[in-house]
Amino acid sequence: MVSRERWESNYPRWFDWVLEEAEIYDYGRYPVKGMGVWMPYGFQIRRRVVELIRDALDRRGHEEVLFPLLIPETLLRVEKEHIKGFEDEVYWVTHGGLEPLDIKLALRPTSETSITFMENYWIKSYRQLPKKYYQIVSIFRYETKATRPMIRLREVTTFKEAHTVHDSFEDSERQVLEAIEAYKEIYDSLGIPYLISKRPEWDKFPGALYTIAFDTIMPDGRVLQIGTVHNLGQNFTKVFDFKIQLSDESHDYPWQTSYGISDRIVATLISVHGDDRGTVMIPSIAPIQVVIVPIPAGGDEDRVAVTRHVARVLKVLEEAGLRVRVDDREEVRPGAKFYYWEARGVPVRLEIGPREAREDTVTLVRRDTLEKSIVPVEELPSTIKRVFEEIYENLKERAWNYMRSRIKRTENLGEAKEWVSQRRGVAEVPWCGNDECAARMEDELEAKSLGTPWPREDATGSRCPICGRDAVTWIRYAKTY
Ligand code: P5A
Ligand code: ZN
């Protein structure tokens, strides 16, 4: 058994520890760098998160599709900025058996090109618009920055990519707002706090007009980009010569957006709701919502009573539709079982001994606060339902408060630098709007700019610390993953 790591003071190691201890994701043993294995417990967490994403998109009129993994080199090269951005990250298939291929095939790093290519056949008229497609697939990026489990992968196995088409710029702008709303809903239901920023020009998605990003602050104070929404303008439709008929009978290139979420959402879910004992699962996502641990004590008679009571409680909970596990392993002591299920973040533990059997109760322990209470069996379903709601609210509030405590607004660059370099989190400084000043600040702070708050926030009365001119807004900096 690997030993526990501290959640806050040793977060990167804590994350590796929890993935292994809780049997979520086996990373580092598979013999290809940047690729990991979803294990059964992790897969179930992932599956529920994916369902949540699907639901949020389906309710907003998105249609799920499935495109081929391979993209011919010729397609991938059509949009110049796009290929420039991805050139050095593409894995190429060059052979079929022993035969060299005529045209190299890329393992998709993202699917703007292949999807636009097919949309050109499918969409002819404004009457078909807006069109919202999405797929949840593996993508491949030959990342050169340090790879990390779920966080910086070379095979991103849970890549949700949405691609939309519109008959006007205005409608693509409306779509950007809808995507942001959908993402807020998804992160909110997972209790994951986020900052929304408009990325600086030099950090937008290759081929986009602009990029809006969701970031969160990890327990070590470093920022992780957990989702992005891009307005692609007509950049892809023009180079693919993709035109549609508009309502006035004229023909023009349609407008597009794309937005993506990856395995990082699961990494974040596990990380932001954690403590020194392990992760804490949001009840709606938890693969096991309630674990029952029999506490053997007394003589044979007591043991029989405990076993019978456990069976009764299990039945009551299953009838209430809960995902329950009885940990009746003979060879493991209760203390070791507590440790085991706490690392996995099971929201509620029920301890059942002779006294509980006698009194027709259980001892209920909440994973988030570790509070104990005695609950009569007849009240159990309603109590657990209430406790789940409380755990969700508590985890969400705790995570938001934690993130807010790691954001510092200051007009003083020295103070900002101290804040980000000690990995306390995000510094927000006033900015004149000039890209050169923003770039200078990146150098001075030795941190990356996340861009400006979205929606835009006023900074009247403050001055840009680089040029001294009036600030038009705030700009965010942090050490990032
Ligand atoms: C939007 C979807 C795109 O690829 N095309 C389709 C657009 N955007 S993106 O910003 O490049 O990626 C979307 C999100 O995926 C996460 N991500 C990663 N996660 C794990 N490992 C990686 N190597 C990786 N690269 C990107 C980020 O959260 C990003 O916002
Ligand atoms: Zn300036």
Side-chain angles (χ1 to χ4, degrees):
M1 193 157 58
V2 265
S3 67
R4 280 178 178 169
E5 293 285 350
R6 297 188 74 83
W7 176 70
E8 186 176 36
S9 57
N10 212 358
Y11 165 71
R13 294 196 43 188
W14 177 93
F15 187 56
D16 293 341
W17 165 75
V18 87
L19 293 184
E20 182 174 345
E21 175 67 29
E23 297 174 290
I24 291 170
Y25 190 77
D26 196 336
Y27 185 81
R29 289 199 269 215
Y30 190 76
V32 183
K33 196 177 154 183
M35 304 189 185
V37 181
W38 287 97
M39 295 176 71
Y41 190 70
F43 193 89
Q44 287 203 50
I45 298 169
R46 174 186 180 275
R47 195 175 71 190
R48 293 209 157 77
V49 171
V50 165
E51 280 315 314
L52 200 86
I53 296 172
R54 272 207 176 90
D55 181 58
L57 296 179
D58 292 350
R59 271 189 285 107
R60 291 174 174 83
H62 294 64
E63 299 172 289
E64 190 166 4
V65 293
L66 186 54
F67 273 69
L69 166 62
L70 299 176
I71 303 179
E73 179 175 21
T74 41
L75 277 197
L76 199 63
R77 289 198 180 282
V78 170
E79 213 288 332
K80 295 297 168 249
E81 290 300 315
H82 189 64
I83 185 63
K84 215 164 85 194
F86 282 107
E87 184 102 70
D88 54 1
E89 289 186 10
V90 177
Y91 282 89
W92 292 105
V93 176
T94 57
H95 285 72
L98 300 176
E99 293 282 309
L101 299 177
D102 292 343
I103 296 173
K104 285 196 291 181
L105 301 170
L107 299 188
R108 65 180 157 228
T110 174
S111 307
E112 275 73 9
T113 53
S114 54
I115 292 182
T116 304
F117 180 82
M118 294 308 291
E119 284 169 346
N120 198 359
Y121 287 104
W122 298 338
I123 301 168
K124 301 289 175 199
S125 158
Y126 73 95
R127 285 195 196 83
Q128 293 168 273
L129 302 181
K131 204 73 187 158
K132 310 171 197 176
Y133 297 119
Y134 75 100
Q135 60 178 0
I136 305 175
V137 294
S138 272
I139 58 147
F140 295 80
R141 293 183 183 177
Y142 186 73
E143 296 277 359
T144 45
K145 269 174 94 176
T147 51
R148 298 272 305 136
M150 294 189 205
I151 288 173
R152 188 169 303 278
L153 296 166
R154 287 183 170 174
E155 180 182 2
V156 185
T157 58
T158 317
F159 195 69
K160 187 288 294 167
E161 47 175 332
H163 297 266
T164 70
V165 186
H166 309 273
D167 63 2
S168 66
F169 175 68
E170 291 66 36
D171 201 54
S172 71
E173 288 288 81
R174 182 205 49 73
Q175 191 60 38
V176 166
L177 298 183
E178 183 183 83
I180 292 170
E181 283 317 306
Y183 281 13
K184 280 186 180 173
E185 181 189 298
I186 292 164
Y187 299 123
D188 285 343
S189 50
L190 298 174
I192 296 174
Y194 46 81
L195 279 169
I196 309 177
S197 305
K198 182 169 183 185
R199 284 281 186 261
E201 265 303 296
W202 62 87
D203 199 26
K204 65 186 189 186
F205 181 71
L209 294 182
Y210 66 84
T211 292
I212 307 290
F214 282 72
D215 294 303
T216 197
I217 306 178
M218 293 304 242
D220 60 353
R222 280 167 73 180
V223 161
L224 181 68
Q225 172 178 299
I226 51 174
T228 36
V229 180
H230 317 291
N231 192 324
L232 304 175
Q234 295 170 307
N235 291 346
F236 287 86
T237 58
K238 277 186 180 163
V239 291
F240 277 89
D241 198 28
F242 168 20
K243 282 188 179 172
I244 55 158
Q245 189 180 49
L246 298 176
S247 59
D248 64 2
E249 305 274 288
S250 70
H251 288 77
D252 196 7
Y253 304 106
W255 304 77
Q256 294 174 307
T257 76
S258 74
Y259 31 105
I261 284 183
S262 78
D263 304 65
R264 284 182 186 181
I265 193 169
V266 182
T268 310
L269 176 69
I270 290 165
S271 299
V272 300
H273 307 308
D275 59 25
D276 291 349
R277 292 166 190 255
T279 185
V280 187
M281 285 281 116
I282 294 280
S284 60
I285 297 294
I288 299 168
Q289 296 172 305
V290 180
V291 62
I292 301 175
V293 180
I295 312 292
D300 284 350
E301 221 170 283
D302 278 335
R303 284 173 185 258
V304 170
V306 166
T307 305
R308 205 176 289 142
H309 192 49
V310 165
R312 161 165 153 74
V313 172
L314 176 65
K315 188 156 173 272
V316 167
L317 297 181
E318 280 180 339
E319 275 170 9
L322 297 164
R323 299 188 284 275
V324 194
R325 172 76 66 87
V326 178
D327 188 351
D328 52 9
R329 291 175 292 172
E330 295 274 349
E331 72 286 4
V332 184
R333 298 190 52 75
K337 292 180 182 176
F338 299 169
Y339 179 102
Y340 182 93
W341 296 110
E342 280 169 4
R344 283 161 179 73
V346 175
V348 164
R349 172 171 88 225
L350 302 180
E351 300 173 7
I352 296 181
R355 201 184 103 187
E356 284 84 359
R358 225 171 16 249
E359 295 172 356
D360 202 27
T361 60
V362 298
T363 296
L364 182 153
V365 187
R366 276 172 67 152
R367 172 62 183 88
D368 59 336
T369 58
L370 302 169
E371 273 165 357
K372 280 192 178 197
S373 54
I374 312 276
V375 184
V377 172
E378 72 218 34
E379 291 171 19
L380 205 46
S382 60
T383 304
I384 288 180
K385 218 177 138 211
R386 196 195 67 233
V387 168
F388 279 180
E389 193 54 37
E390 285 172 16
I391 292 175
Y392 165 68
E393 292 297 339
N394 178 41
L395 290 175
K396 185 172 166 181
E397 187 177 297
R398 210 162 71 173
W400 271 99
N401 287 341
Y402 188 77
M403 190 185 79
R404 287 198 187 102
S405 75
R406 284 174 165 271
I407 301 169
K408 189 177 185 67
R409 218 167 238 207
T410 171
E411 303 192 12
N412 181 310
L413 272 192
E415 221 171 74
K417 180 163 184 178
E418 197 183 313
W419 187 260
V420 297
S421 66
Q422 292 180 0
R423 296 263 172 84
R424 288 214 270 188
V426 172
E428 295 180 331
V429 293
W431 181 45
C432 63
N434 184 329
D435 282 348
E436 267 168 51
C437 290
R440 278 268 308 276
M441 286 197 269
E442 277 196 340
D443 292 341
E444 298 223 357
L445 298 175
E446 290 167 26
K448 262 193 69 164
S449 175
L450 308 176
T452 51
W454 186 96
R456 208 174 168 95
E457 279 174 41
D458 204 57
T460 11
S462 301
R463 291 181 182 286
C464 174
I466 299 291
C467 67
R469 280 179 295 186
D470 283 345
V472 294
T473 186
W474 299 86
I475 185 162
R476 295 173 169 147
Y477 290 88
K479 302 276 190 190
T480 58
Y481 268 95

